[in-house]
Amino acid sequence: MRLCVCIAGLLPVLLAVGATSSILEMTPPIRGLALANLRDTFEEVHDGHKHEAIDIVEPKGTPVRAVVSGTIRKLFLSKPGGNTIYEFDEMEVYCYYYAHLDGYVKGLREGMRVARGDVIGFVGSTGNADARTPHLHFAIFELGPERLWWKGKAVDPYPGLVAAVKRAK
Ligand SMILES: [Zn+2]
């Protein structure tokens, strides 16, 4: 009985260790992204909601790349997010979310596997983004055991993006 409790207690720790892997392997979603273009707005309140994402301002049409290898789980047109992509990493531990896209790359579809660095869409201002400041709204969600694309715990992407930009140099 005591042993069972020990193993159960260890499980979240083991999961957490494995879970960090895809974030640590990220490449920047925009080629040539500079640290100066990154600002941690995760905790900011936007339109009455905690932002829980990072906005990367880029000209409309700038290619957006998959930050990790994985699967396009959902292409969703949302009122606030506009054209969005939900990408699961290989282990289905994290979901990477790209929003306000002007559009998807030709041929992109749900269930498709993508490699890190593949162009998946283009920066835009669809949804509730200001048309004068096209940007990529980028978020990371830790998926629950059910692995539902619409249900996850937001993780601040800022440290992972900073590390990715430094590695890309
Ligand atoms: Zn945003």
Side-chain angles (χ1 to χ4, degrees):
M1 193 58 203
R2 203 174 161 74
L3 184 67
C4 290
V5 172
C6 282
I7 291 169
L10 256 177
L11 199 60
V13 178
L14 291 172
L15 283 173
V17 168
T20 53
S21 61
S22 79
I23 292 179
L24 293 175
E25 288 167 3
M26 271 171 47
T27 53
I30 306 289
R31 184 166 276 173
L33 187 65
L35 286 181
N37 290 7
L38 289 176
R39 210 162 57 82
D40 193 352
T41 57
F42 187 80
E43 300 286 345
E44 279 183 6
V45 174
H46 291 192
D47 301 322
H49 299 280
K50 218 173 119 188
H51 188 222
E52 297 190 327
I54 301 293
D55 291 334
I56 303 171
V57 178
E58 292 287 338
K60 182 179 165 181
T62 302
V64 172
R65 294 161 189 279
V67 293
V68 295
S69 296
T71 304
I72 302 299
R73 182 64 188 79
K74 186 74 184 171
L75 302 178
F76 185 68
L77 178 62
S78 105
K79 211 167 178 185
N83 295 314
T84 70
I85 297 174
Y86 292 79
E87 182 203 2
F88 283 13
D89 68 10
E90 306 270 23
M91 302 298 289
E92 301 196 328
V93 173
Y94 287 110
C95 174
Y96 294 85
Y97 174 70
Y98 313 78
H100 302 315
L101 299 170
D102 194 50
Y104 305 125
V105 80
K106 197 168 173 250
L108 197 76
R109 52 178 174 74
E110 291 173 0
M112 188 176 176
R113 291 183 54 84
V114 290
R116 182 174 51 189
D118 282 356
V119 175
I120 52 176
F122 303 94
V123 172
S125 53
T126 55
N128 64 6
D130 187 333
R132 291 166 300 183
T133 33
H135 65 276
L136 172 67
H137 171 105
F138 177 74
I140 305 176
F141 300 101
E142 190 181 338
L143 293 163
E146 335 80 328
R147 294 179 166 87
L148 302 171
W149 61 270
W150 66 91
K151 214 169 143 189
K153 183 176 158 283
V155 176
D156 189 349
Y158 184 74
L161 282 172
V162 167
V165 166
K166 286 182 176 168
R167 276 196 304 274
K169 294 246 178 274

